[in-house]
């Protein structure tokens, strides 16, 4: 159970108030992971900081609870710390997704001082050889370990994310053991997502790890949304269906009126939310497939397009 109780989430759901917004601050990155669906790095893609500040302020006025800062590598944004402070000053719980290369003792201290809820780091192998071969940056494994140690030392919660690939599949148990030893949770993503151009087409990765239970929750566009560096508003970072752009309107109007969001809400039943103990989070990467123009599209979204869930209506309709 998250710090925010289910009754509040139910209230937000009833009022069509977004629970969480993920901001992609940049598509630039200091790594070049072989499985990156955005095919980072893309230098020169930093989000306009004033656009992000205005969107955050509007979300706060709407009643949004949580903000995620991601990328690319979000710490490469020249005003990352200013934007993080802005989010915290507005009262948001904040998660940061990073590869850890720019997180040193001072950065960890600032995360702690600003009471960041969680930092998500990539752990793509149980040893330097495997991890670095996936990121294609020598020393990236040691950087992730150092970042983890610094964050934990400052009392900041760390969560590892591991995309299971042919390169690291045999190390899943060792990665789990390493995370346990360090004192961090690890989440495994069992199917890599094709890149936006189709450059990376993953092979099936087999079944879920022993004892794992498939997660069928999806609240993208229902209580979750995302904003790209150029201001495009999307249901989530993985469903890159543009609902609108912050240069052409407010985030509130887009959230309430965009056909993309209204269609999603008409096809998702309240039971999906009620089964979700962790609220807006909990998406399972294995539910993604390749959609139009090789863009990553949620399987639920594709089924909705085929009409398989279009007749499901509930109080979230409208």
């Amino acid at each position: 159970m998250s710090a925010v109780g289910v009754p509040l989430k139910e209230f937000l759901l009833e009022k069509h108030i977004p629970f969480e917004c993920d901001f992609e601050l940049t598509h630039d990155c200091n790594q070049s992971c072989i499985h990156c669906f955005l095919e980072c790095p893309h230098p020169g893609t930093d989000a306009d900081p004033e656009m992000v500040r205005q969107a955050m302020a509007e979300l706060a006025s709407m009643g949004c609870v949580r903000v995620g800062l991601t990328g690319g590598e979000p710490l490469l944004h020249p005003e990352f710390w200013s934007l993080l402070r802005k989010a915290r000053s507005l009262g948001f719980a904040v998660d940061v997704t990073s590869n850890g290369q720019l997180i040193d003792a001072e950065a960890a201290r600032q995360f702690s001082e600003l009471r960041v809820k969680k930092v998500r780091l990539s752990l793509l192998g149980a040893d330097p050889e495997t991890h670095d071969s996936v990121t294609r940056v020598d020393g990236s494994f040691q950087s992730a370990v150092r970042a983890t140690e610094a964050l934990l030392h400052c009392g900041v919660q760390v969560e590892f994310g591991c995309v299971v690939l042919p390169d690291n599949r045999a190390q899943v148990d060792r990665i789990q053991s390493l995370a346990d030893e360090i004192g961090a949770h690890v989440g495994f993503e069992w199917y890599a997502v094709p890149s936006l151009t189709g450059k990376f087409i993953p092979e099936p990765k087999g079944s879920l790890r022993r004892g794992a239970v498939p997660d069928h929750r999806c609240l993208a566009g229902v209580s979750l949304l995302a904003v790209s560096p150029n201001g495009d508003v999307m249901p989530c970072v993985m469903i890159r269906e543009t609902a609108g752009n912050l240069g052409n309107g407010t985030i509130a109007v887009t959230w309430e009126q965009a056909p993309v969001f209204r269609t999603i809400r008409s096809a998702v039943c309240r039971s999906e939310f009620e089964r979700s103990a962790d609220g807006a989070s909990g998406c399972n990467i294995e539910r993604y497939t390749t959609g139009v123009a090789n863009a990553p599209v949620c399987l639920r979204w594709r089924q909705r397009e085929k009409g398989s869930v279009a007749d499901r209506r509930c109080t979230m309709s409208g």
Side-chain angles (χ1 to χ4, degrees):
M1 181 67 67
S2 69
V4 181
V6 169
L8 174 56
K9 292 173 182 174
E10 289 181 340
F11 171 81
L12 297 177
L13 188 69
E14 289 284 353
K15 300 298 183 181
H16 289 178
I17 297 171
F19 176 82
E20 177 175 5
C21 181
D22 291 321
F23 286 92
E24 294 178 333
L25 297 185
T26 183
H27 286 168
D28 195 6
C29 192
N30 45 15
Q31 295 183 1
S32 183
C33 296
I34 60 175
H35 61 283
C36 179
F37 78 94
L38 291 172
E39 298 182 21
C40 296
H42 296 290
T45 55
D46 297 341
D48 176 1
E50 188 54 34
M51 175 193 73
V52 176
R53 292 187 188 99
Q54 290 178 1
M56 286 180 177
E58 191 174 0
L59 286 164
S61 68
M62 294 166 63
C64 184
V65 172
R66 183 180 295 171
V67 158
L69 302 181
T70 184
E73 171 50 52
L75 273 77
L76 283 175
H77 193 288
E79 295 198 36
F80 170 79
W81 292 105
S82 172
L83 294 174
L84 173 55
R85 292 187 185 94
K86 177 64 174 181
R88 290 297 295 126
S89 72
L90 291 168
F92 289 114
V94 179
D95 295 342
V96 176
T97 300
S98 170
N99 58 39
Q101 282 199 225
L102 298 177
I103 299 178
D104 54 14
E106 175 58 22
R109 184 194 66 77
Q110 291 191 65
F111 280 131
S112 177
E113 182 179 281
L114 290 168
R115 299 177 64 187
V116 167
K117 182 177 180 293
K118 181 190 302 180
V119 175
R120 296 187 179 97
L121 299 175
S122 297
L123 184 64
L124 300 166
D127 53 55
E129 293 74 22
T130 303
H131 179 96
D132 293 3
S133 70
V134 175
T135 66
R136 293 189 284 198
V137 173
D138 292 340
S140 58
F141 177 84
Q142 293 301 332
S143 294
V145 171
R146 284 195 298 268
T148 302
E149 292 173 344
L151 289 165
L152 292 176
H153 177 74
C154 291
V156 180
Q157 182 181 353
V158 174
E159 179 179 276
F160 290 132
C162 178
V163 178
V164 181
L165 303 164
D167 311 66
N168 60 19
R169 190 191 315 174
Q171 295 189 346
V172 165
D173 287 337
R174 289 177 57 197
I175 292 171
Q176 180 69 64
S177 297
L178 177 60
D180 292 342
E181 179 182 341
I182 292 175
H185 173 73
V186 59
F188 292 98
E189 298 173 356
W190 289 88
Y191 285 79
V193 178
S195 70
L196 291 176
T197 64
K199 180 179 177 181
F200 179 79
I201 305 297
E203 62 177 345
K205 302 300 185 293
S207 60
L208 289 169
R209 195 159 62 104
R210 295 185 302 275
V213 177
D215 186 347
H216 299 291
R217 300 173 296 182
C218 181
L219 292 174
V222 178
S223 59
L224 169 69
L225 74 159
V227 179
S228 73
N230 70 356
D232 284 344
V233 181
M234 308 168 290
C236 78
V237 296
M238 304 305 302
I239 303 179
R240 306 194 76 81
E241 182 81 9
T242 302
N245 187 279
L246 296 182
N248 301 319
T250 68
I251 203 166
V253 170
T254 301
W255 175 257
E256 289 292 336
Q257 300 182 10
V260 171
F261 290 132
R262 294 173 68 87
T263 303
I264 290 176
R265 291 168 198 150
S266 72
V268 180
C269 281
R270 166 188 284 279
S271 60
E272 292 296 328
F273 176 81
E274 292 174 343
R275 289 205 300 267
S276 173
D278 194 30
S281 61
C283 121
N284 188 348
I285 205 70
E286 72 170 292
R287 292 184 293 103
Y288 292 100
T289 185
T290 303
V292 178
N294 291 318
V297 178
C298 179
L299 180 58
R300 178 186 297 281
W301 179 272
R302 191 172 71 167
Q303 289 174 337
R304 192 266 309 164
E305 290 293 322
K306 292 180 178 179
S308 62
V309 296
D311 59 344
R312 297 171 62 188
R313 296 292 186 268
C314 63
T315 56
M316 291 163 49
S317 299

